[in-house]
Amino acid sequence: MKVQDLEFKKFITAPALAEKVHALATQINHDYKGKTPMFLPILNGSFMFAADLLKEIKVPCRVSFVKTSSYSGTSSTGQLKTLIGHDESLFNQHIIIVEDIVDTGLTLEKIIEELRALGAKSVEAVTLLRKKPAREKKVDVKYVGFDLEMEFVLGYGLDYDGLGRNYKDLYKLAENASANP
Ligand code: 5GP
């Protein structure tokens, strides 16, 4: 399948994704029995995963979609992200961050740090996909769907150049192509 200039091939099918989402929800339902967690899906990439996951969450819960944005201050790196879209109600909550993919882990580390500073009672993360650098760096992700090597993936919420978020399956870059996203 071609998206812009790149060729992608099917990687993880919709039924396999659904099975994994069910397994992750089962774990979370077990671990949060008696609690009322607040799910924080990080837009845009996690919208499809979050929707499917939340349909299987049986404990009472709250949901607040958030975004990360680059600091507009003096930092010139463009790397530092801050959370936008949340409200004061994060204080004293059991937070579960919902990510589509953790690559270097920098985004997630920053979000966790920010939530702790905002006074969250506990902070955990669930990600559908985790790449090798985050694994090696031992970024603290309690619930992980699939571990990947260094593939660039799209579909099921993830994009390439803004395209491909709507596909129900997950695709990866064909071997003879290269991406610089
Ligand atoms: P990190 O801070 O962990 O390096 O970055 C995570 C973010 O990078 C993800 O939320 C996602 O937006 C983007 N990203 C990393 N790897 C991929 C990938 O393989 N495909 C897509 N579409 N986005 C990716």
Side-chain angles (χ1 to χ4, degrees):
M1 180 188 67
K2 198 146 178 129
V3 178
Q4 299 282 60
D5 51 327
L6 295 177
E7 191 63 35
F8 288 85
K9 60 179 182 187
K10 206 173 269 189
F11 181 35
I12 305 176
T13 63
L17 291 168
E19 199 178 307
K20 187 64 80 175
V21 170
H22 178 75
L24 289 169
T26 303
Q27 262 184 289
I28 293 171
N29 286 328
H30 172 268
D31 293 353
Y32 285 81
K33 213 174 209 147
K35 294 182 179 146
T36 304
M38 159 89 82
F39 287 86
L40 237 56
I42 314 295
L43 291 172
N44 292 320
S46 74
F47 80 95
M48 211 176 270
F49 171 48
D52 287 345
L53 180 77
L54 284 158
K55 280 183 263 181
E56 306 225 32
I57 294 298
K58 310 288 185 226
V59 295
C61 65
R62 297 188 173 85
V63 186
S64 176
F65 282 82
V66 294
K67 273 200 154 201
T68 58
S69 113
S70 293
Y71 276 133
S72 56
T74 51
S75 166
S76 59
T77 65
Q79 295 300 311
L80 291 175
K81 304 280 184 78
T82 186
L83 267 186
I84 53 173
H86 62 85
D87 53 38
E88 299 310 309
S89 62
L90 300 185
F91 180 76
N92 228 14
Q93 299 287 321
H94 292 291
I95 307 282
I96 305 176
I97 301 162
V98 184
E99 267 282 29
D100 49 351
I101 186 163
V102 181
D103 183 358
T104 63
L106 285 174
T107 309
L108 189 59
E109 276 187 338
K110 184 70 184 53
I111 293 171
I112 292 173
E113 195 181 296
E114 201 168 333
L115 291 170
R116 294 215 167 108
L118 284 169
K121 197 179 239 174
S122 68
V123 184
E124 298 292 355
V126 54
T127 187
L128 180 68
L129 306 160
R130 177 174 60 177
K131 285 192 186 174
K132 208 174 172 192
R135 228 156 48 235
E136 286 171 348
K137 212 169 152 219
K138 299 196 178 7
V139 183
D140 201 9
V141 190
K142 187 159 187 188
Y143 308 99
V144 178
F146 298 92
D147 272 319
L148 311 183
E149 287 306 307
M150 289 304 291
E151 297 97 341
F152 182 79
V153 293
L154 107 162
Y156 199 64
L158 291 110
D159 75 308
Y160 168 57
D161 202 15
L163 297 170
R165 293 193 196 276
N166 52 313
Y167 301 128
K168 64 178 191 224
D169 303 292
L170 194 75
Y171 292 77
K172 74 172 174 179
L173 199 57
E175 255 118 60
N176 53 356
S178 67
N180 188 20

